[in-house]
Amino acid sequence: MIKLLWILFVTGFIGKLVQAGLVTGRTHCGPNDVSPLTRVNTTGRLNDFRASLSSIGRYTKPISAFIVGSGDAHDSEYPGQYDKRRAYISGFDGSAGTAVITMTKAALWTDGRYFLEADETLDCNWSLMKSGIPGTPTVAEWLNSEMQGEGDYVGVDKTLITEDEFQSLKKTLATLPKKAVLTLMDQNPVDMIWREGRPPRPTNPINVLDLKFAGVRWHDKVTTLRSNLTSRGAGAFVVTALDEIAWLFNLRGSDIDYNPFFLAYSIVESSKIRLYILDKERRLAANPVDKESQTKLYQHLGTSMSGQCNGTTSDLCVQILDYNQTKVEEDLQELSNKTKVWVTPQTNAGILLSVQSNHTVESSPIAIAKSIKNPIERNGMKNSHNRDSAELVRFLAFMEKEITSGKYWTEVTASENLKQRRLSLQYNRGLSFETIAGFGSNGAIIHYRPSNTTDKVISGKSLFLLDSGGQYLDGTTDVTRTMHYGNPTDYEKECYTRVLMSAINLALTKWPSGLLGREIDVIARHQLWDVGLEYKHGTGHGIGAYLSVHEGPGRISYMSKSKYEQPLKAYQYYSDEPGYYEDGQFGIRLETIVTVVPFAPKYSTAAQDFLQFEPVTFVPFEPNLIDYSILNSKQVSWLNEYNARIRENILPLLGNDQQAIEWLNVRTKAIPLASRQSSNAANISLVTVRILLITFAFSQLFC
């Protein structure tokens, strides 16, 4: 009884806080406030949405609320333009966010990367819910406070939520006083109202990725996948993740911005392969549009121009079918009557329902195989990162001279100039994400993207954060550096230096194999924590080889709680990107891509393998922002070694660009150890103790 009273009190209190606007985090929403130009008017859309929701009548009672997530039917981090339903209904198009709409209210949840951006783009119809901030209600708590009666229905599109997410939220709602019922729906109100101006589903060309880039034939990848099926006692595997389909068949497309993917599903059985794509006849027989691709799609997949395998006895012929989730569900339902079907936790609930009678849910064997780069891919990652680093060095050297001589540069012009430079590089096939170029206060917006309405002039008065990357046939890049073209304050220098110390600490880490990324994340953060600084994003994400710029199944983040997270493994690639962001002032992020490699320790008494990181991004840090007096000797030694490797890898690629050569040499000069503080040895010992204590505490927390 006491517990029930407490739940009623808490949920009621949250409801009052929401009504009072105390946890919405909104600005410029007062009666006399002027809204920012970046805000999208959603009044008409919300009215139409609610009318459409009311018209759906196949349920025993009305749907009182509807959840609009960020993804598509493939659980993609970056959906195509056609699938950006949450962006359409809310106006906020950041990569992370969940919108919940009732008949009278609308709320959007996002994480710390997007708090500022969401506030500037959501109009005042919306409450902004800052996930992870104390006092912010969860989706379930907010829904409970907004439901009018017990057992009200909450709808969600069955194709846009994973089964894990659906069951978790359904159970949570059932434990709260209003006992709202989460319901999978075939109809989506956004699809019902988004008619005018909606982009069509893309059917861009699909190109074969040559073996000199892929390294392993798709036939061999399928054979390995089939051996996994046998070991799990399953007869079929459903591939729904777009990067997994692209990797498995050595194909690349351009259906998704910044990602070389095409919309598809695949079902792989022991003696049959099905691939579902849009506009199959045209795409199968089309000539390649990439000059490095010489083979037509139907030839590559061993099928006919119509996509049929009739007349062939090969179990490596791919049958091509129309992309249609209903058709996929029907085929899977028939298949599950005969054999066990393996689906992944990222599979949407609609597909899982179709195999409910005979299935197993396990992590994807493709995801882990894809993340461990083969020798050809590793060589490609090295080459692509060297080319990319060299071009970024040229650009930064040129831009610094321009700005310090008083030339006019803005976030937009910097982004565009760098984009054109990357597009001219060998094997480049576009950017890997929209460039983040934030000067001053814009740099504090973690995933800020410059536009004509937010564009700032870059000068020597504050810090400039530049996060960018490219897609190349032989690799994917992602690099962040932060510059100051004037006289930084001591505080700015300390913040930058502590971020640099964090990046170096992670780069120096050696660990026994089998650890999760979250178990070493604290090693990066502790020198920021020492002075009360923190950043609200992970320290590292995986990165693909001409695939996703954010790749699983591993990550480096103590905030990660996924039960499907995998340990770090040799020859995976991760970002090393700590940061610090001060609202309204500046942002700092330093991102270097590193690869996991075996490490041979001095002693072998542990009787297990050890791993370490090696950098593949080679771009100098900003000496103008480094306070060398607070670096310890190991950090200085690492920095000197890294700078030497920059000179070794990048100087030969700069040709006769004397401006870039001089810029690089100045920034990679050896730092004398003699300037270190005498207390360094004691500092190192203290740091070691702190790391051990904090790591132990967090390992216990997540056990």
Side-chain angles (χ1 to χ4, degrees):
M1 184 63 183
I2 293 175
K3 183 177 180 181
L4 178 59
L5 289 173
W6 172 249
I7 291 173
L8 289 169
F9 168 75
V10 170
T11 54
F13 182 61
I14 287 172
K16 290 178 180 177
L17 283 176
V18 172
Q19 291 170 5
L22 298 178
V23 297
T24 62
R26 300 316 311 276
T27 59
H28 304 293
C29 280
N32 299 314
D33 290 343
V34 177
S35 293
L37 295 175
T38 51
R39 287 189 176 167
V40 178
N41 185 343
T42 63
T43 300
R45 296 177 188 179
L46 286 171
N47 288 339
D48 293 343
F49 179 96
R50 288 168 176 139
S52 295
L53 187 60
S54 298
S55 71
I56 300 173
R58 59 180 285 257
Y59 300 94
T60 56
K61 61 165 59 179
I63 307 295
S64 298
F66 193 87
I67 299 172
V68 184
S70 300
D72 57 13
H74 306 275
D75 197 35
S76 303
E77 179 183 13
Y78 299 107
Q81 296 299 321
Y82 174 89
D83 287 306
K84 290 188 175 182
R85 296 171 179 84
R86 188 257 300 150
Y88 171 78
I89 196 62
S90 70
F92 167 67
D93 65 354
S95 66
T98 300
V100 184
I101 303 164
T102 71
M103 288 301 168
T104 58
K105 294 183 181 179
L108 183 133
W109 281 256
T110 191
D111 60 41
R113 297 171 296 169
Y114 292 111
F115 290 164
L116 296 179
E117 181 181 341
D119 187 43
E120 291 182 356
T121 54
L122 294 171
D123 70 11
C124 296
N125 287 305
W126 293 83
S127 296
L128 172 58
M129 301 299 179
K130 298 181 177 181
S131 298
I133 299 298
T136 301
T138 64
V139 169
E141 289 167 341
W142 187 81
L143 280 167
N144 183 75
S145 70
E146 295 301 324
M147 294 297 96
Q148 298 301 308
E150 187 173 320
D152 283 356
Y153 282 6
V154 175
V156 63
D157 189 324
K158 71 173 185 177
T159 70
L160 303 178
I161 188 170
T162 68
E163 180 67 9
D164 267 11
E165 293 168 338
F166 174 73
Q167 293 297 342
S168 176
L169 183 54
K170 184 177 181 179
K171 289 175 184 177
T172 301
L173 287 170
T175 65
L176 296 175
K178 297 290 184 61
K179 300 189 183 302
V181 178
L182 189 62
T183 303
L184 292 173
M185 297 178 62
D186 299 319
Q187 293 174 281
N188 190 317
V190 176
D191 293 334
M192 297 167 70
I193 67 169
W194 192 7
R195 304 293 186 187
E196 185 177 347
R198 185 173 191 176
R201 277 194 163 135
T203 57
N204 298 325
I206 301 172
N207 293 301
V208 174
L209 185 67
D210 194 273
L211 200 59
K212 69 180 180 181
F213 302 115
V216 177
R217 299 188 318 146
W218 72 261
H219 313 75
D220 299 321
K221 294 178 181 180
V222 168
T223 299
T224 301
L225 176 58
R226 282 172 167 164
S227 68
N228 277 284
L229 285 174
T230 302
S231 67
R232 296 296 196 282
F237 180 74
V238 186
V239 196
T240 60
L242 301 183
D243 61 335
E244 294 186 13
I245 291 172
W247 177 87
L248 180 65
F249 293 108
N250 289 343
L251 298 172
R252 298 296 189 269
S254 58
D255 286 356
I256 310 294
D257 291 344
Y258 309 109
N259 293 270
F261 308 146
F262 51 95
L263 292 176
Y265 292 103
S266 181
I267 303 173
V268 178
E269 304 170 57
S270 58
S271 59
K272 186 176 183 179
I273 310 168
R274 283 179 266 199
L275 179 65
Y276 303 77
I277 63 174
L278 290 163
D279 196 9
K280 65 184 181 71
E281 285 85 3
R282 180 183 65 82
R283 293 167 109 178
L284 274 172
N287 290 318
V289 297
D290 193 305
K291 63 182 180 181
E292 296 293 336
S293 181
Q294 307 301 320
T295 309
K296 292 184 178 183
L297 185 57
Y298 83 90
Q299 296 169 328
H300 176 71
L301 296 175
T303 188
S304 66
M305 282 193 288
S306 64
Q308 298 303 309
C309 291
N310 298 335
T312 178
T313 58
S314 172
D315 62 359
L316 288 169
C317 169
V318 182
Q319 181 183 1
I320 309 300
L321 302 162
D322 289 318
Y323 175 91
N324 182 299
Q325 167 135 345
T326 301
K327 170 62 175 170
V328 175
E329 290 177 9
E330 291 172 352
D331 289 348
L332 285 170
Q333 187 169 14
E334 180 181 345
L335 190 57
S336 67
N337 292 329
K338 299 180 290 186
T339 187
K340 182 180 290 185
V341 178
W342 182 350
V343 297
T344 73
Q346 292 75 39
T347 302
N348 70 60
I351 284 182
L352 193 68
L353 279 174
S354 68
V355 295
Q356 200 67 263
S357 60
N358 191 12
H359 74 280
T360 181
V361 180
E362 296 185 54
S363 296
S364 169
I366 297 177
I368 190 67
K370 172 173 58 65
S371 71
I372 300 172
K373 279 46 175 187
N374 64 54
I376 296 296
E377 289 174 322
R378 297 201 294 270
N379 189 58
M381 290 290 274
K382 173 186 174 182
N383 292 334
S384 60
H385 278 78
N386 280 345
R387 292 195 306 275
D388 193 82
S389 295
E391 194 57 50
L392 184 55
V393 164
R394 291 191 192 96
F395 169 73
L396 291 175
F398 169 73
M399 184 175 170
E400 179 172 298
K401 183 176 181 180
E402 290 270 297
I403 291 174
T404 54
S405 63
K407 298 291 179 63
Y408 180 81
W409 279 80
T410 73
E411 298 165 340
V412 169
T413 58
S415 300
E416 185 57 30
N417 187 293
L418 180 56
K419 175 183 177 180
Q420 295 307 317
R421 288 169 174 266
R422 273 202 172 94
L423 293 179
S424 70
L425 295 179
Q426 182 186 31
Y427 298 146
N428 183 271
R429 296 300 181 265
L431 303 185
S432 56
F433 57 96
E434 190 172 1
T435 298
I436 299 167
F439 179 75
S441 60
N442 283 345
I445 304 172
I446 296 174
H447 273 199
Y448 169 78
R449 288 145 297 174
S451 67
N452 291 332
T453 57
T454 63
D455 197 19
K456 283 191 174 188
V457 175
I458 302 169
S459 70
K461 295 180 180 179
S462 189
L463 293 95
F464 175 53
L465 185 155
L466 182 64
D467 186 352
S468 63
Q471 290 284 11
Y472 302 88
L473 290 174
D474 54 349
T476 300
T477 70
D478 183 3
V479 51
T480 310
R481 291 295 183 261
T482 303
M483 286 67 67
H484 199 302
Y485 301 117
N487 298 308
T489 66
D490 290 343
Y491 176 64
E492 290 171 334
K493 291 181 70 172
E494 179 174 4
C495 290
Y496 180 96
T497 306
R498 287 193 174 273
V499 173
L500 176 60
M501 293 162 75
S502 296
I504 294 174
N505 284 349
L506 186 68
L508 282 167
T509 301
K510 280 81 174 173
W511 69 96
S513 62
L515 291 186
L516 298 171
R518 64 176 178 239
E519 292 172 317
I520 65 172
D521 181 29
V522 66
I523 294 174
R525 295 177 188 263
H526 80 90
Q527 288 195 287
L528 283 162
W529 289 351
D530 277 351
V531 292
L533 304 181
E534 170 66 309
Y535 52 97
K536 293 178 172 58
H537 58 73
T539 302
H541 58 78
I543 186 168
Y546 190 30
L547 287 168
S548 297
V549 74
H550 298 148
E551 179 178 79
R555 66 184 66 184
I556 305 172
S557 174
Y558 79 90
M559 296 174 283
S560 172
K561 298 179 182 179
S562 171
K563 62 183 178 182
Y564 302 108
E565 184 180 350
Q566 295 283 328
L568 307 185
K569 296 183 181 295
Y571 308 120
Q572 292 177 330
Y573 288 72
Y574 290 93
S575 65
D576 174 357
E577 55 172 314
Y580 175 66
Y581 314 89
E582 196 153 308
D583 291 358
Q585 299 299 319
F586 61 83
I588 299 166
R589 183 161 62 253
L590 300 174
E591 180 178 19
T592 299
I593 301 304
V594 295
T595 181
V596 181
V597 296
F599 166 66
K602 181 178 180 181
Y603 303 110
S604 59
T605 54
Q608 64 183 117
D609 296 331
F610 276 72
L611 300 169
Q612 65 178 347
F613 292 120
E614 278 191 0
V616 295
T617 300
F618 291 110
V619 178
F621 297 104
E622 174 62 277
N624 191 31
L625 280 165
I626 300 175
D627 179 356
Y628 294 101
S629 70
I630 60 175
L631 296 176
N632 66 43
S633 58
K634 286 186 70 175
Q635 292 163 345
V636 171
S637 294
W638 183 92
L639 192 53
N640 279 334
E641 182 180 341
Y642 179 68
N643 285 337
R645 294 188 67 180
I646 292 175
R647 293 192 297 273
E648 176 187 352
N649 285 276
I650 304 306
L651 278 174
L653 301 180
L654 297 179
N656 60 357
D657 189 337
Q658 292 302 315
Q659 180 175 275
I661 292 170
E662 181 181 347
W663 184 91
L664 184 146
N665 281 328
V666 167
R667 277 152 186 77
T668 59
K669 286 181 179 178
I671 305 157
L673 289 174
S675 66
R676 307 304 324 119
Q677 294 178 340
S678 60
S679 60
N680 271 338
N683 286 344
I684 295 169
S685 298
L686 180 58
V687 165
T688 303
V689 171
R690 283 174 173 163
I691 290 173
L692 291 172
L693 289 173
I694 296 173
T695 304
F696 175 78
F698 272 88
S699 68
Q700 297 303 303
L701 178 62
F702 288 107
C703 281

